Amino acid sequence: MNRRSFNKILLGTTALSFATCASIADTKLSTNKKRVIVVGGGFGGATAAKYLKKFSPDTEVMLIEQNKDYYTCPFSNTVIAGINKIDYIKHDYKTLESKYKIIVKHEKVQKVDGTTNSVILENGEIIPYTKAIVAPGIDFKYDKGYIEGSEEYAPHAYKAGTQTVLLTEQLQNMKDGGTFIMVAPANPFRCPPGPYERVSLVAHYLKHNKPNSKIVILDQKNNFSKQGLFQEGWEKLYKGMIDWRSSEFGGKVISVDPKTRTIKTDEGDIVADVLNYIPEQKAGKLAFDSGLTDGDWCPINTKTFESKLVKNVYVIGDACIASPMPKSGFSANSQGKIVALQISRILAKQEVINPPKLANTCYSLVAPNYGISIAAVYEAHDEKIIDLKELGAGGLSPSYANESIRMQEAEYAVGWYKNQMTDIFK
Ligand code: FAD
């Protein structure tokens, strides 16, 4: 061994022992220091981190997110339909770091360990916390021949980014006269109106670019969110183009071959030119690895969002059980604010807000100038969340409204998106 390579090894070893020392030395928080670690920088996690810093400026807030850029699912359907470019839905964490002094780490978390109150990163680093907020979003249940890797052939595009781009390209390359098939999942899943907004905007694209094409939805359920409003829009704008098959009447998938895009149903085989297969869903893997799940999702105390299974860990967003709130970005944002408020009060030894109020509005575009929505306000108690519709809160867009109302709702949808992105990332 020559001197240079020996020095290299020595340097490496020293660096390693410093790194090990750092993680070991840091495995306990000093008694007067409060650190909240937020895992997952999506709608839920990024909101919680920002608002926690606002409500509790002296608390150290660390946001751990595996990706440097975040691509939103909201408005990803406009990218697939060629209305917006992919950069329209791309956001980063720089302002959270510089303006709000949140410590942002781009690392993958292996586990949130409730027995030692620490977060374990995949790189081996161990970081202790006073409280942890977990918002890992969803993962997919692979079944019926749709396995890991199938998304290369039959994209789900239900996590935005590369999947959005792939489905966009497949749609652009589809021949005029082709068949776009969507398999829509059974409940519960992320964004109940999401598949139907997508079909609407794909129809908009096909109508203007490949008018002889058709769309088949093989649905794994018998009804869907805002169904009347969507179907009214389809009849008006895309007559004869969209064939929705409920689970009971021809939609049920028995198996799929993603490579040949062939689907076996009760009523025979059907082959797609483009297959958008949206699998059934469950909480993100991290929730399972951290012992936060019971079945597919994470049970919580709905007033504080603290896990029922692991103390000092709070779960928000798509991964938690917060029904009747839908699994939406707006819900996750609303939950992010409430969890930040409740934790800031607990850290300050104050009573938590009882009961907190939450809200959701899901806008959908049936066409770029045709919007519809559903809204609700909720009250959260220890064991349940109540929809305040009995008090007249929320509701659906009117049926058979005139064009200017639909146009206005499309403008509100765009406004909502811009406001949310500012609220979360700026
Ligand atoms: P996510 O936003 O998915 O964030 C989870 C984050 O955690 C990710 O950034 C991920 O990288 C990170 N993460 C996961 N595991 C780890 C780990 N181990 N280590 C580090 N980081 C990790 N909602 C609306 O309100 N309005 C809409 O118009 C709307 N449209 C939609 C359209 C479509 C097509 C789809 C699919 C969804 C839509 N949604 C909409 C729903 C919305 O996208 C989700 O409800 C929302 O993203 C949930 O937020 P979340 O914070 O729970 O999860």
Side-chain angles (χ1 to χ4, degrees), residues 27 29 37 39 64 109-122 124-134 285-292 307 309-315:
T27 51
L29 277 172
I37 300 185
V39 184
I64 310 181
V109 172
Q110 188 191 84
K111 183 182 171 176
V112 177
D113 184 357
T115 57
T116 57
N117 281 356
S118 54
V119 167
I120 303 168
L121 304 186
E122 277 209 343
E125 201 182 336
I126 298 170
I127 314 172
Y129 60 76
T130 317
K131 303 271 183 198
I133 301 171
V134 177
K285 182 173 182 295
L286 177 69
F288 287 85
D289 295 345
S290 306
L292 294 165
S307 164
L309 305 176
V310 185
K311 213 171 155 15
N312 291 321
V313 177
Y314 297 69
V315 187

Side-chain angles (χ1 to χ4, degrees), residues 40 42-44 65-66 70 73-74 109 135 137 190-191 317-318 328-330 416:
F43 275 78
E65 160 58 48
Q66 59 194 346
Y70 177 72
C73 287
V109 172
R190 143 177 295 188
C191 194
D318 288 354
S328 76
F330 197 135
W416 168 80

